[in-house]
Amino acid sequence: MQPTPAPSRGVASRVAAAAVLGVALVVLAVWLTWRLPGARGVSAIAALAVSALAAAAAALAAPRVAGRARRAWLLLAVGAAIWSLGQAYRIAVELGRRDSTPSRVSAGLFIAATLVALVGLLQLPARRLDRGNLLRLGLDVLMVGTALGVAAWALVIAPGLARDGGAELAREYGVPYATAAVLTLTVAVLVAARAGGRWLLPVLLVCGGLALCAVGRLTMVGRLVRGDYAI
């Protein structure tokens, strides 16, 4: 019976990196849940670190593939980098203010990052669909987008419109953020539904990450319009 070969250095390094990242996420979750000292700054810096890490990972993945897949990773890297710039601006300029309303600079960067990432998401490899399946998928996505849009308005935007300044916040920040989040969720559904083959897991992970980010944006929008949001 031959001995089992030892794992390669590459596998061992990836396992170690995943373990370190897992421990860091647990520590971060505990810190924010218990509101330990400096939780506000830790949250903002962690968001910057995650977006920068995503940009680096996508940029490293791009040279290993070709065609649409390379364009997809490059666009995802650019989107994550723009998001990092928006988060860095928030930390440098807005973190010390009592008013946690995003500035137009950071809001514009966040929305631009979302749009670039969505274009990249649509470039990811996917299974070919015949005309009938493509039509059914389009109708499903239309229903999902409509349902999400109605839910976002009813649950996120509308509750804060009655308060002083709520309508202005909704117009300047709430509606653009919510629209970007709904678009992200809808496109993520479309791309995930067409994923297959060796690209199934990477595409699902990217779609899942962007979907979670969109849900976080919707939560932020709701609190912002209601007046109880803090960075």
Side-chain angles (χ1 to χ4, degrees):
M1 183 176 179
Q2 294 181 349
T4 302
S8 64
R9 289 186 178 181
V11 173
S13 63
R14 286 195 290 269
V15 171
V20 171
L21 181 60
V23 171
L25 290 176
V26 170
V27 171
L28 178 63
V30 171
W31 199 307
L32 299 181
T33 300
W34 289 92
R35 296 184 180 276
L36 298 178
R40 188 182 184 194
V42 168
S43 174
I45 293 172
L48 173 59
V50 169
S51 59
L53 183 61
L60 289 173
R64 301 182 181 184
V65 291
R68 291 186 57 179
R70 175 173 292 186
R71 290 197 298 272
W73 288 124
L74 287 174
L75 286 168
L76 289 169
V78 171
I82 296 173
W83 189 284
S84 300
L85 289 176
Q87 187 63 23
Y89 183 88
R90 289 222 70 188
I91 293 172
V93 177
E94 303 169 17
L95 186 60
R97 299 185 329 193
R98 291 191 176 186
D99 180 12
S100 295
T101 302
S103 71
R104 293 183 178 180
V105 174
S106 58
L109 288 171
F110 289 143
I111 292 174
T114 300
L115 296 178
V116 172
L118 289 182
V119 176
L121 197 60
L122 289 170
Q123 295 292 317
L124 287 172
R127 292 183 291 108
R128 292 184 178 274
L129 299 177
D130 58 36
R131 185 174 299 178
N133 287 328
L134 191 59
L135 178 59
R136 284 193 292 271
L137 179 61
L139 292 174
D140 290 341
V141 169
L142 180 61
M143 289 188 294
V144 169
T146 302
L148 288 172
V150 171
W153 178 265
L155 300 177
V156 177
I157 304 296
L161 294 179
R163 63 175 288 268
D164 292 338
E168 182 179 355
L169 286 173
R171 183 177 62 254
E172 292 189 9
Y173 302 104
V175 172
Y177 270 139
T179 301
V182 168
L183 280 175
T184 301
L185 290 171
T186 304
V187 172
V189 170
L190 168 65
V191 174
R194 296 183 59 199
R198 67 186 183 90
W199 283 94
L200 178 61
L201 182 58
V203 170
L204 291 181
L205 288 175
V206 172
C207 289
L210 288 175
L212 286 175
C213 186
V215 171
R217 288 285 103 181
L218 285 174
T219 303
M220 183 275 288
V221 166
R223 298 191 62 184
L224 176 65
V225 175
R226 291 195 304 271
D228 60 352
Y229 173 72
I231 185 176

